[in-house]
Amino acid sequence: MKKDKTIKRDFYLLVVKVVLATAISSVVTYLCLIYLIITLAANDVVKPTNYFVKDLDLMEKKIKENEEAIFKGRFIPIHRYSEKIQGEVVDISGKHLYGDREIIDDQVDISQSINREIVKGSYVYRFIPLKHDNAIQAVYVLKAPFGFIINNQKRLEPVLIYAALLISPLLFFIVYLIFFTSRLYQSLFHNIKLLLEASDHIASGNFDFHVSGLKRKEFMKIQNSFNAMISALKEMVERLAKTDDERKMMVSSIAHDIRTPLTVIQGQIDLIQDLRKSDRFDVTPHLEIIRKNCGKMTMLTDNLSLLYKVEKSHFLLNAKEVDVKQMLDEKKRELSTMVSRQPSLAICFDVNLQRSSYVLDEAMVMRVLDNILYNSLRFTKSGEITLEVHDEEEGNACKIYFRCSDTGTGFKENDTSLLFQPFYQDKQYKHHVGLGLYIAKQIVNHHGGDIWAYNNDKGGATVEFYIKELSLDHSRTFPPL
């Protein structure tokens, strides 16, 4: 069957098949009926439809030979020919003169029926003019049976067969309609059965199957839609399962990350409580430890708060004119202060920008840089951390490229794209939420850029990203994180 065959076309073909099959069968049946009647009539088994016409011909000849006598009232004995033939003589106006009465009704126009033969119902009427003084003065009306059934009333079997054959077109139509409709239904039900089975699979949560074998154009479209729906449902279920696993991991990681600084803070408070009466007790270093751990908890909650914002497609940036060189100088001083007690580690910023200011979201760009630079600080004990920055004009827009390279331990994972997935924990630094690089990627994407990571020739890690300058219509302020 052709794949492009449609249900509409099938119904059209159904009508054509039924009508054509009925017509052919009816023609064959009628030919057989005619042959049967001719054969039986030839053997005097049945009387054909025009059986009495030959008697009418003989009577008409006899009437024409004796029209003067008939006109004078000497009626011919028509019952000699057949008892079923009736005769009546009427004048031109239809008034009865001789013979049987009311053979014809008032609706027949005698003047228009002269020398004619009319069939009404199961009878044939012949109108024979009677002339007197070379003028038609009366009409002899003969009435004879004209029909197979009326001619064979006493023969039940031929009559029943004849009646059945007459209504055979209706019977053929019903039979062929049922036959071709059932075939079409079986074909359509095959498609419906496959779709019902697919629905049962979906209802039971089984998405590891593919609907195939449907026929006809409309069902092919449904098949494609079903397969697309199955793929979407399977993907959604897998995504929900993955999200659930990530949620469990996130809860576990957050609980660990919060528990660790809380344990440290609790330990320092207990230590202060035990040593506060000592003469030489200095509370300052203990307060510093508490402050740092409070900062860790604050950073954790900030990341969680920012996560749900940057994941939204309608997240708007606070675009404004930013002096990027000044921003980077301040960041370099901050990092240099932090590594001042590590003489083996150098901080290098190589900034080559053509303009003094750019339209960016400063807080979001700093969030990206902080995440990348502090990751480098965490895994680099000696050597250097280098940040290279340059810009590039692209039509009416401007791209700013950032590359942070270090001489640390580098990435242990072969697929560094995993680093930018939410809640990812690599082998180097487990038991953390794993949101930093994911949030950085979302921020970079909102700036129309991209971010990637790899191990450099020195064995350390390199993270590169670029962002596009914003337009001021992106400007919208957000509450502080």
Side-chain angles (χ1 to χ4, degrees), residues 6 140 143 185 219 335:
T6 63
Y140 206 129
K143 176 183 178 182
Y185 171 77
F219 281 103
L335 293 175

Side-chain angles (χ1 to χ4, degrees), residues 149-404:
I149 294 176
I150 195 172
N151 291 344
N152 298 276
Q153 291 178 348
K154 295 181 180 181
R155 295 179 176 86
L156 184 60
E157 294 82 359
V159 170
L160 292 177
I161 295 173
Y162 182 81
L165 292 176
L166 283 180
I167 63 172
S168 61
L170 178 60
L171 298 177
F172 285 135
F173 180 82
I174 294 174
V175 170
Y176 286 127
L177 182 63
I178 294 174
F179 174 73
F180 289 114
T181 303
S182 63
R183 290 190 60 185
L184 179 59
Y185 171 77
Q186 291 174 0
S187 179
L188 295 178
F189 183 74
H190 169 74
N191 294 336
I192 296 173
K193 183 179 179 181
L194 292 178
L195 292 176
L196 289 175
E197 291 175 354
S199 300
D200 291 339
H201 284 304
I202 294 174
S204 62
N206 176 22
F207 303 106
D208 294 324
F209 72 98
H210 186 79
V211 181
S212 61
L214 297 185
K215 301 175 182 179
R216 291 176 179 79
K217 194 172 183 179
E218 295 87 349
F219 281 103
M220 291 295 292
K221 291 181 180 179
I222 297 176
Q223 175 177 290
N224 295 335
S225 299
F226 246 85
N227 289 329
M229 179 182 66
I230 293 167
S231 299
L233 288 173
K234 182 179 181 181
E235 182 181 349
M236 182 182 68
V237 170
E238 292 175 349
R239 186 166 61 248
L240 289 174
K242 181 180 178 182
T243 301
D244 186 59
D245 293 339
E246 291 175 349
R247 181 187 60 79
K248 293 177 181 178
M249 184 178 66
M250 179 185 71
V251 171
S252 176
S253 298
I254 291 174
H256 180 275
D257 279 11
I258 292 178
R259 189 186 306 113
T260 300
L262 283 176
T263 302
V264 174
I265 292 172
Q266 183 65 47
Q268 292 300 313
I269 291 175
D270 293 341
L271 188 59
I272 291 173
Q273 185 71 23
D274 293 340
L275 300 177
R276 62 189 175 88
K277 295 181 181 180
S278 176
D279 295 337
R280 297 183 179 181
F281 175 66
D282 185 5
V283 74
T284 302
H286 301 284
L287 293 176
E288 182 64 21
I289 293 174
I290 292 174
R291 185 189 66 79
K292 287 183 178 180
N293 281 276
C294 287
K296 290 180 180 180
M297 294 178 63
T298 300
M299 183 179 69
L300 174 63
T301 56
D302 285 349
N303 278 340
L304 289 174
S305 176
L306 183 59
L307 170 66
Y308 294 107
K309 290 183 178 180
V310 298
E311 283 187 329
K312 295 179 180 178
S313 59
H314 59 275
F315 175 72
L316 297 179
L317 300 169
N318 183 18
K320 62 181 180 179
E321 293 280 347
V322 178
D323 188 337
V324 177
K325 291 182 180 179
Q326 180 181 346
M327 179 186 73
L328 294 174
D329 287 340
E330 292 175 357
K331 180 56 62 178
K332 182 180 180 181
R333 285 195 296 271
E334 177 185 327
L335 293 175
S336 298
T337 301
M338 294 180 65
V339 301
S340 59
R341 296 182 181 182
Q342 295 177 257
S344 61
L345 181 59
I347 304 297
C348 301
F349 278 32
D350 184 8
V351 180
N352 295 295
L353 298 175
Q354 304 176 37
R355 290 156 51 183
S356 59
S357 63
Y358 301 84
V359 178
L360 306 169
D361 187 325
E362 182 177 7
M364 294 295 103
V365 174
M366 285 303 299
R367 177 78 68 167
V368 177
L369 289 173
D370 283 346
N371 187 284
I372 296 172
L373 291 170
Y374 283 112
N375 278 344
S376 291
L377 283 175
R378 187 180 298 119
F379 301 110
T380 306
K381 305 303 179 183
S382 62
E384 63 179 11
I385 297 174
T386 304
L387 178 65
E388 301 174 70
V389 184
H390 71 277
D391 60 359
E392 181 180 294
E393 295 291 340
E394 188 178 81
N396 296 328
C398 178
K399 288 184 177 180
I400 305 177
Y401 291 85
F402 298 83
R403 180 167 62 189
C404 178

Side-chain angles (χ1 to χ4, degrees), residues 375-376 378-380 406-414 416 419 424-432 437 453-455 459-462:
N375 278 344
S376 291
R378 187 180 298 119
F379 301 110
T380 306
D406 60 50
T407 55
T409 57
F411 301 114
K412 302 303 181 184
E413 301 292 342
N414 293 327
T416 55
L419 300 171
Y424 175 74
Q425 296 178 329
D426 62 21
K427 297 178 181 179
Q428 295 170 279
Y429 191 62
K430 293 186 177 181
H431 307 300
H432 69 102
L437 287 176
Y454 56 90
N455 288 321
T462 297

Side-chain angles (χ1 to χ4, degrees), residues 64 67-68 71 115 129-138:
K64 288 185 177 296
E67 59 181 347
E68 285 289 341
F71 186 76
N115 285 322
L130 298 176
K131 296 181 180 180
H132 182 68
D133 296 333
N134 294 324
I136 298 175
Q137 301 294 331

